[in-house]
Amino acid sequence: MRDKTKKESPKKEKIFLTQSYFKYPLPEEMLRELAEELKDINLYPSGGDYTELRQVLAKYVGVKIENILPTNGSDEVIEIVSRAFKGEVLIPIPTFSQYEASADRGGLSKILVNCLHDGEYTINYSAQQLKSASLIWICNPNNPTGTRIPREKIIDILQRAEGIVVVDECNYEYLGETIVDLIDKYENLIISRSFSKNYGLAGLRLGFAISNLQNIKKLAAFGQHFSVNRIAEKSAAKVLKYLDYYQEVWEKMKKLRDKFVWQINELGFSAYDSQANFVLVEFKDKKKTERVWKYLKEKGIYTLAGWENEFSGLGDQFIRFTIGEEWEMDKVVEVLFDYVKRN
Ligand SMILES: Cc1ncc(COP(=O)(O)O)c(C=O)c1O
């Protein structure tokens, strides 16, 4: 029987391991159901308050409907918190570039805190920084290192911070750990989630914020009316019907990822253990990194290097690989094996 979680492997196709989107087939029945919604796109999304969508998301997450704000991708959560909580923002680098980009647009004053020392990513905000910042970022697991941030660490930051702490959980489904249960305990906690990475809806743009009613109201006031389109609005309930399928894919991806980390280390490079759908690899210096990156590109394999502006504070000696299909990862390892033999 055909494995539905596998794409047919067109061996000559270029391999894109750049953006960390979902690289597996989407359930065909779900796509058919979504397509049926097209006939209603003359209508606005339901009333603008997204009651049904918020009900679906609240049930999925295990909170009340009042704790949810649907957004145009989780990028919109990043954008509106940066408008709503002006002042000083703490950004734990290397990390996702949009915290910085939104801070710039919002006119916040940025403090980039280096959290990567000797191959270990640990969030190390000082007491003074936590006192003076209005907005504090934690990306869990962190992009691009893939590092899990321990729950105790997040609680410690929540307790010591004077400002709002936003925990970006856009890769929650791969990590399998959340702090959603803490939204009533810590009034300064906002969580952001996404349907892009784990459910394959990056092109539809569906994300959401989770927090207490007061914070949700404040964020809503800074967001745009009707920011989630009608098809995206309908998509959450539809994809969640296929949870079993997605769980199967996530498990498969995790196995491929862990095998890839092992293989890269066996080749003599240095791969970071990851809890997301990408792996960060460190090379000796920029020159060596460029050689590997170009060699991969010549063979039709596209990856993200540290100098490509996708991340804040990532050095030039790094390349991030998104985890794709098995044949794609096999091809990457084969090309890198070849590279090592020649150099
Ligand atoms: C850490 C992190 N947060 C948020 C996003 C934004 O994702 P989206 O707007 O598609 O939900 C991304 C996308 O790459 C990301 O890596």
Side-chain angles (χ1 to χ4, degrees):
M1 217 172 72
R2 191 169 84 85
D3 180 352
K4 286 189 190 159
T5 66
K6 240 184 184 168
K7 271 192 180 156
E8 300 306 320
S9 69
K11 302 283 184 219
K12 289 214 173 74
E13 223 180 61
K14 287 183 176 160
I15 297 177
F16 290 96
L17 305 180
T18 45
Q19 287 172 315
S20 66
Y21 59 94
F22 185 86
K23 287 191 58 94
Y24 308 92
L26 297 176
E28 281 168 23
E29 186 53 32
M30 188 273 288
L31 290 176
R32 265 194 295 277
E33 280 184 43
L34 265 188
E36 274 172 31
E37 296 294 337
L38 277 175
K39 68 179 184 327
D40 290 331
I41 54 166
N42 58 319
L43 302 171
Y44 280 99
S46 45
D49 63 359
Y50 298 108
T51 308
E52 251 176 58
L53 172 61
R54 287 161 68 220
Q55 258 160 0
V56 170
L57 298 174
K59 186 164 170 231
Y60 174 54
V61 171
V63 295
K64 292 193 220 113
I65 178 171
E66 65 187 40
N67 299 126
I68 300 279
L69 178 72
T71 55
N72 190 259
S74 60
D75 274 340
E76 197 195 359
V77 179
I78 303 174
E79 190 71 16
I80 58 181
V81 292
S82 308
R83 286 187 208 141
F85 301 99
K86 299 253 189 215
E88 219 166 76
V89 55
L90 297 184
I91 301 176
I93 59 167
T95 197
F96 184 49
S97 61
Q98 290 309 303
Y99 310 141
E100 239 198 294
S102 290
D104 286 340
R105 284 190 287 271
L108 279 81
S109 121
K110 296 176 296 187
I111 311 235
L112 306 183
V113 181
N114 183 20
C115 296
L116 187 60
H117 300 281
D118 302 326
E120 291 267 330
Y121 181 89
T122 320
I123 297 196
N124 50 0
Y125 295 137
S126 72
Q128 186 48 47
Q129 285 169 336
L130 288 172
K131 251 198 166 135
S132 57
S134 57
L135 183 59
I136 295 139
W137 282 103
I138 297 175
C139 183
N140 189 27
N142 185 52
N143 180 8
T145 53
T147 318
R148 162 187 178 263
I149 314 299
R151 183 179 169 92
E152 318 80 70
K153 180 86 201 175
I154 301 175
I155 292 176
D156 177 57
I157 292 171
L158 281 164
Q159 284 173 342
R160 292 191 299 137
E162 297 279 330
I164 288 287
V165 178
V166 189
V167 182
D168 182 340
E169 291 190 355
C170 81
N171 273 304
Y172 155 71
E173 284 81 0
Y174 295 131
L175 176 68
E177 277 178 27
T178 178
I179 49 151
V180 161
D181 56 299
L182 299 180
I183 55 165
D184 290 325
K185 186 157 185 196
Y186 298 101
E187 60 186 33
N188 56 345
L189 171 61
I190 295 175
I191 294 164
S192 89
R193 290 274 188 97
S194 173
F195 276 75
S196 297
K197 316 281 176 190
N198 316 272
Y199 290 103
L201 301 186
L204 268 187
R205 315 303 297 129
L206 180 62
F208 56 107
I210 312 165
S211 192
N212 59 52
L213 178 61
Q214 200 192 344
N215 288 336
I216 290 294
K217 273 191 176 159
K218 181 157 179 179
L219 291 183
F222 283 87
Q224 192 191 311
H225 192 43
F226 290 133
S227 75
V228 176
N229 71 71
R230 192 172 170 95
I231 306 286
E233 178 192 19
K234 301 286 174 185
S235 66
K238 297 193 193 303
V239 293
L240 290 172
K241 284 202 285 188
Y242 296 90
L243 206 51
D244 286 351
Y245 168 81
Y246 282 102
Q247 271 163 350
E248 202 184 314
V249 178
W250 301 335
E251 287 314 308
K252 199 172 94 172
M253 187 288 296
K254 287 189 220 169
K255 284 202 185 105
L256 283 175
R257 176 195 66 201
D258 295 346
K259 182 175 155 202
F260 183 67
V261 169
W262 182 82
Q263 288 171 316
I264 290 291
N265 288 332
E266 282 292 295
L267 284 173
F269 303 120
S270 186
Y272 284 62
D273 280 333
S274 171
Q275 302 298 321
N277 65 341
F278 47 75
V279 168
L280 187 68
V281 180
E282 183 165 10
F283 300 87
K284 285 227 162 60
D285 51 43
K286 179 169 186 184
K287 225 166 129 195
K288 290 216 165 69
T289 317
E290 263 175 350
R291 271 179 34 203
V292 175
W293 182 77
K294 277 191 189 146
Y295 191 78
L296 287 165
K297 208 167 155 187
E298 278 162 24
K299 306 284 175 195
I301 299 166
Y302 295 79
T303 55
L304 267 183
W307 54 83
E308 289 187 276
N309 288 338
E310 179 74 14
F311 310 105
S312 294
L314 186 64
D316 290 339
Q317 73 279 30
F318 291 98
I319 296 179
R320 195 197 72 177
F321 296 79
T322 296
I323 300 301
E325 295 277 330
E326 190 167 7
W327 69 271
E328 292 178 310
M329 303 323 288
D330 286 349
K331 180 77 190 166
V332 175
V333 172
E334 189 188 306
V335 169
L336 287 175
F337 182 72
D338 208 44
Y339 173 87
V340 170
K341 264 199 324 199
R342 287 160 186 257
N343 288 273

